Amino acid sequence: MVRLLASEVQQLLHNKFVVILGDSVQRAVYKDLVLLLQKDCLLTPSQLKAKGELTFEQDELVKGGQLSPMHNGTNYREVRQFCSGHHLVRFYFLTRVYSKYLEAILEELQSGEHAPDLVIINSCLWDLSRYGPQSWNSYLRNLENLFERLGQVLPESCLLVWNTAMPVGENITAGFLPRKPLPWANPLRRILVHANFHSSLEASKHGFDVLDLHFHFRHAWNCLQSDGVHWNEHAHRQLSYLLLTHVAEAWGVELPCRSPAHAGEQTQDPAEWEQPDPAVDRQPQANRDQSVSPLLPLLPLPRRRPLLETPRPSLHLPPLLPLPVPPPQVSPQSRLYPQDFNFSSDHVFQSDQFYFHSDVPSPTQPGFAFEADFNFCSPPPMPNFSPCYQQRAPVVYRGLPRYLVRGPYMPWRGRHRGSKRGAPAHLESRRQ
């Protein structure tokens, strides 16, 4: 996990279309991401608690929310969107992981002008608590239908991240839960663990990424709100760091080396936040229907361009003594392997191919009030630099290189492809 500044998040998501689907916890994920795209500050408690407001930090309410009567029913709808010159983030409120409403959302995305580059989704608490005694069996069936349908609809270049449901407290008083007892002998927090296990397996089986938020926040009880379901602003900022780090690794982007957070922002021990993700190893989603190929011989990987250039320290080194020049050695001609063409040193972000124009001006931020014990905007502490001839910045490589599209807002009408998952005995490789 890397602590990112607003300018770095803007560059990472430059010309990207991000879609977030889920309940009120995922709505807070959307809000913190929208805020982090504009400012180096945290959400306020009132912003976290607000529901269906007409506008939030330059975004707009597209459907539902306060545009219609507010309620806590399973047919509640809320669609929000943030659009700037080079960023598009959209949120859909879900009360069930798979339904006719989700099919309508997929049809809307499929018929839209731009294809999503990143989809973040979770739905669990509503599924398990609001749909009767058979909700568990329905949830398992709906998970299978969801990932099967997403594999058919989403383009190959889209990265889908399934967020596991975050932990809940022992005493839950959230307004969306029914007042009558749930139809299980075990408490909801234990049922949630089993639900996360099955959803993670189902997502991995279809080749999608899993971010285990339940694991990362399993000891962060001091960040849990009094209702036992929602989390405070510090937890959601850590969640954004985890999510963006996961996305950067999946896209092959090198992030700057920086401590997780400043003093005052960190709410847990750093080692606790930086636990590795226990989700199963993933394959590139562009090849999620292909079988696992045998390992290739290891070759030296080319150095990729970092997200931000590492600053060179200004050091006054003493003059170096002349070294004896060794005699020239004739080295054998190196062979060119086919794998060398799989890597590219081009920029990840291609702003010259961006053609999405918005009438919404870029937001300007006048001052912002901070708490007395919190200073998010102060410059990060600089590490002790070693001499430039000894310094080597780390590079992140995860799996095989992903397929890079020419532009994030690429029209994709007519790109519907049939699913081949129904016949496991006749799996074929997908052509990119």
Side-chain angles (χ1 to χ4, degrees), residues 104-162:
I105 294 175
L106 295 179
E107 291 179 3
E108 178 181 341
L109 294 175
Q110 200 171 10
S111 62
E113 183 179 0
H114 311 300
D117 299 283
L118 173 62
V119 175
I120 304 164
I121 181 173
N122 171 264
S123 181
C124 185
L125 291 178
W126 283 73
D127 297 76
L128 299 179
S129 61
R130 298 294 300 270
Y131 291 95
Q134 300 299 322
S135 58
W136 173 256
N137 295 330
S138 299
Y139 184 62
L140 297 183
R141 289 194 304 268
N142 288 334
L143 284 173
E144 296 178 3
N145 296 331
L146 169 73
F147 293 117
E148 181 73 20
R149 193 74 178 98
L150 290 176
Q152 298 172 359
V153 172
L154 293 181
E156 295 284 355
S157 58
C158 179
L159 173 65
L160 184 137
V161 180
W162 171 264

Side-chain angles (χ1 to χ4, degrees), residues 326-352:
Q329 298 180 358
V330 179
S331 59
Q333 185 175 3
S334 62
R335 298 178 57 187
L336 187 60
Y337 288 88
Q339 294 90 339
D340 296 342
F341 296 98
N342 293 335
F343 301 97
S344 173
S345 59
D346 297 339
H347 289 278
V348 175
F349 310 108
Q350 304 173 6
S351 59
D352 56 340

Side-chain angles (χ1 to χ4, degrees), residues 26 48 59 87 106 125 128 177 182 265 321 359 379 404 406 420 423:
Q26 302 305 310
L48 280 171
D59 85 333
H87 302 95
L106 295 179
L125 291 178
L128 299 179
L177 289 176
L182 297 177
E265 181 184 353
L321 296 179
D359 297 333
L404 301 179
R406 293 180 301 170
K420 301 178 181 179

